[in-house]
Amino acid sequence: MSDTPYRCGFVAIVGRPNVGKSTLMNHLIGQKISITSKKAQTTRHRVNGIYTEPNAQFIFVDTPGFQTYHKGALNETLNNSVKDSLANVDCVLFVLEAMRLSAADREVIALLPKKTPVILVLNKLDKAKDKLALSAFIEEARAEFPFAEVEVVSAKHGQRLGELLDKVRPHLPESVPLYPEDMVTDKTQRFLAAEIVREKLFRYLGEELPYEMNVEVESFEVDGHMFRIYVAVLVDKEGQKPIVIGRGGEKLKKISTEARIDMEQLFDCKVFLEVWVKVKSGWADDVRFLRDFGIN
């Protein structure tokens, strides 16, 4: 039996949009459960990713990027989600793009808790080849906040993540594991199915993607060794439907096909997936509706 005490705790991953938070969590737990895209606000829900090793369990909380550009109930709710995620965690990873400290980054820094250890994670290692410049940049960042530790990583290529875990581990409290060792997320298969479809929408529509858009799983049926999943893509206006569907339905077909392939890999079974587009006007500014969708 090991003399090393078992540790288990919650670790919030925060930062402005597009610094690589979701990519970082996916690589830390070794499986893709949080969606990634170059478009801001891909992550709309707090997603818990779980990584278990012999003497510790890390429960990572992926959060929306703190948003200042777009206004309205949706972003106010998402920003409140970031603030809430910083409460009741044992450690915070503040993700910053190496060699870039923007006004948006400083807005997130202003939210960082003073009584919880915060580790500065400089992402995109390839942008930090000049060691002297990197050292100066770290000092610039440290002048903004008293970070407990600093680590430079490449989330995309999975570099130096072991070193990052080594710096997080001592900040976790001594505790028994909260989840089974083979569990990688506390989210349901229904939730993950919706996230996969939403990722494909972000990825294949790019700048055409309507900002007021969400995904709803209307039915999730287990039929022997097959999942039958029926998904509605919600847009705000009738004129946005053709953007998602594409000429002759080709965009929606590509999105559906790619999503089905990802689901079959994640769920390890055959998937029948049907996706269609539906108009629900004003949803993005209806806070009650946002709560119904679990965007909190």
Side-chain angles (χ1 to χ4, degrees):
M1 190 172 175
S2 173
D3 293 331
T4 305
Y6 198 93
R7 294 181 179 274
C8 175
F10 289 84
V11 183
I13 304 176
V14 299
R16 64 168 170 79
N18 295 335
V19 289
K21 300 181 298 298
S22 297
T23 302
L24 177 63
M25 186 172 79
N26 288 338
H27 276 87
L28 284 167
I29 68 170
Q31 189 166 332
K32 181 176 179 177
I33 62 162
S34 194
I35 71 173
T36 60
S37 166
K38 291 182 180 179
K39 192 175 177 76
Q41 289 306 22
T42 308
T43 302
R44 288 183 177 173
H45 304 262
R46 285 172 291 186
V47 180
N48 284 358
I50 303 155
Y51 174 68
T52 304
E53 57 183 30
N55 292 306
Q57 185 173 81
F58 304 77
I59 305 163
F60 295 102
V61 185
D62 187 18
T63 63
F66 193 79
Q67 179 65 258
T68 59
Y69 183 71
H70 294 281
K71 303 298 181 183
L74 173 60
N75 271 296
E76 186 177 345
T77 304
L78 294 174
N79 286 345
N80 285 337
S81 176
V82 179
K83 295 173 186 175
D84 291 344
S85 296
L86 293 173
N88 303 314
V89 295
D90 303 295
C91 183
V92 175
L93 301 183
F94 172 62
V95 185
L96 188 62
E97 187 176 324
M99 313 310 294
R100 181 184 176 194
L101 181 58
S102 68
D105 294 311
R106 288 187 169 91
E107 289 197 43
V108 184
I109 289 173
L111 301 175
L112 296 175
K114 301 295 191 292
K115 295 181 180 178
T116 303
V118 180
I119 297 174
L120 173 62
V121 182
L122 298 180
N123 191 23
K124 304 185 181 178
L125 189 58
D126 56 309
K127 296 190 177 183
K129 292 178 180 176
D130 185 327
K131 290 186 178 180
L132 284 176
L134 176 61
S135 193
F137 180 76
I138 290 172
E139 290 307 309
E140 181 187 357
R142 280 191 178 279
E144 300 281 337
F145 189 87
F147 295 104
E149 307 271 2
V150 178
E151 187 55 74
V152 184
V153 305
S154 171
K156 183 177 180 180
H157 300 292
Q159 293 177 303
R160 297 195 61 81
L161 301 189
E163 288 84 350
L164 177 58
L165 290 174
D166 287 343
K167 290 182 177 177
V168 174
R169 196 178 298 106
H171 298 296
L172 303 182
E174 292 184 19
S175 166
V176 296
L178 298 181
Y179 295 99
E181 65 177 27
D182 59 348
M183 196 169 176
V184 295
T185 182
D186 61 348
K187 295 299 184 183
T188 64
Q189 291 172 321
R190 188 184 188 105
F191 171 88
L192 294 171
E195 288 291 272
I196 288 170
V197 172
R198 202 155 63 82
E199 179 189 41
K200 302 310 173 190
L201 288 161
F202 276 86
R203 186 152 294 186
Y204 289 112
L205 296 181
E207 293 305 314
E208 290 184 287
L209 183 78
Y211 188 74
E212 295 86 1
M213 181 222 71
N214 205 33
V215 173
E216 178 183 19
V217 176
E218 297 202 335
S219 177
F220 192 114
E221 304 165 5
V222 179
D223 182 5
H225 296 292
M226 176 181 279
F227 289 173
R228 296 185 181 276
I229 306 170
Y230 301 85
V231 175
V233 177
L234 303 181
V235 293
D236 199 49
K237 300 177 180 67
E238 189 70 35
Q240 294 169 335
K241 285 177 69 174
I243 297 172
V244 179
I245 295 169
R247 182 175 296 176
E250 64 181 59
K251 278 190 179 176
L252 191 59
K253 183 178 180 181
K254 185 171 185 178
I255 287 162
S256 301
T257 300
E258 293 285 330
R260 178 184 56 77
I261 291 168
D262 273 15
M263 287 180 198
E264 289 183 338
Q265 290 177 342
L266 180 62
F267 302 144
D268 195 24
C269 70
K270 285 290 183 183
V271 172
F272 171 82
L273 175 65
E274 189 171 320
V275 182
W276 62 94
V277 185
K278 196 160 78 170
V279 177
K280 190 167 181 80
S281 297
W283 79 267
D285 282 315
D286 184 342
V287 174
R288 184 167 55 84
F289 187 68
L290 297 178
R291 291 199 186 107
D292 289 344
F293 267 94
I295 300 175
N296 51 33

